[in-house]
């Protein structure tokens, strides 16, 4: 059983910043961040498209967070981060880490698609108040 563990969520006021992390038990070719707000479907926030290596993959963001969020991974490929700035109340959601071992090319759409990922964490709550 693969266990992804998210951490770093919390409550901030609008305009604030948070950094959340995801720890995987081993290195995965693909990891991404998703979020789900109450009453809404889970949506892709940030991921990596391209080939399944750190050197040949590139960050992709959902339009709503582009320019405010930054995704990154450490060199071991076991820890992924999401730095969030200028947070808005509409960013309030449960943020999930997802992973899959796919080496083949992944498009920008696939990188942010729930269906493409096999392993999921339990989520970390991010709450932004106005």
């Amino acid at each position: 059983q693969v266990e992804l563990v998210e951490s770093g969520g919390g409550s901030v006021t609008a305009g604030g910043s948070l950094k959340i992390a995801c720890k995987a038990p081993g290195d995965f070719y693909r990891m991404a961040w998703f979020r789900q707000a109450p009453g809404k479907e889970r949506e892709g926030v940030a991921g990596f498209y391209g080939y399944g290596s750190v050197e040949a993959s590139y960050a992709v963001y959902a339009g709503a967070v582009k320019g405010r969020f930054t995704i990154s991974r450490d060199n071991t490929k076991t820890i992924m981060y999401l730095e969030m700035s200028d947070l808005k109340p509409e960013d309030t959601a449960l943020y999930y880490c997802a992973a899959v071992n796919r080496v083949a090319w992944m498009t920008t759409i696939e990188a942010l698609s729930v269906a493409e990922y096999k392993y999921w964490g339990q989520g970390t709550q991010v709450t932004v108040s106005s």
Side-chain angles (χ1 to χ4, degrees), residues 17-18 24 31 43-44 54 57 61 69 75 83-85 88 92 95 97 102-103 116 120-121:
S17 300
L18 272 178
M31 295 181 75
E43 63 177 2
V54 173
S57 60
Y61 300 92
F69 291 12
N75 289 335
E83 292 186 78
M84 303 177 288
S85 63
K88 306 175 186 298
T92 295
Y95 282 71
C97 169
R102 170 173 164 172
V103 180
E116 295 296 330
W120 294 84

Side-chain angles (χ1 to χ4, degrees), residues 60-100:
V60 59
Y61 300 92
V65 308
K66 195 171 184 180
R68 301 187 296 121
F69 291 12
T70 302
I71 188 173
S72 62
R73 296 180 68 177
D74 74 335
N75 289 335
T76 67
K77 296 195 296 183
T78 62
I79 303 177
M80 177 177 65
Y81 302 98
L82 186 68
E83 292 186 78
M84 303 177 288
S85 63
D86 190 22
L87 282 160
K88 306 175 186 298
E90 51 264 42
D91 294 318
T92 295
L94 192 58
Y95 282 71
Y96 294 93
C97 169
V100 65

Side-chain angles (χ1 to χ4, degrees), residues 4-6 20-22 31-37 41-46 80 82 93-99 114 119-126:
L4 303 175
V5 180
E6 301 96 338
I20 57 178
C22 171
M31 295 181 75
W33 287 102
F34 291 79
R35 68 185 182 186
Q36 188 166 18
E41 292 187 358
R42 192 170 299 188
E43 63 177 2
V45 175
M80 177 177 65
L82 186 68
L94 192 58
Y95 282 71
Y96 294 93
C97 169
V114 170
Y119 306 105
W120 294 84
Q122 295 299 308
T124 185
Q125 179 67 38
V126 172

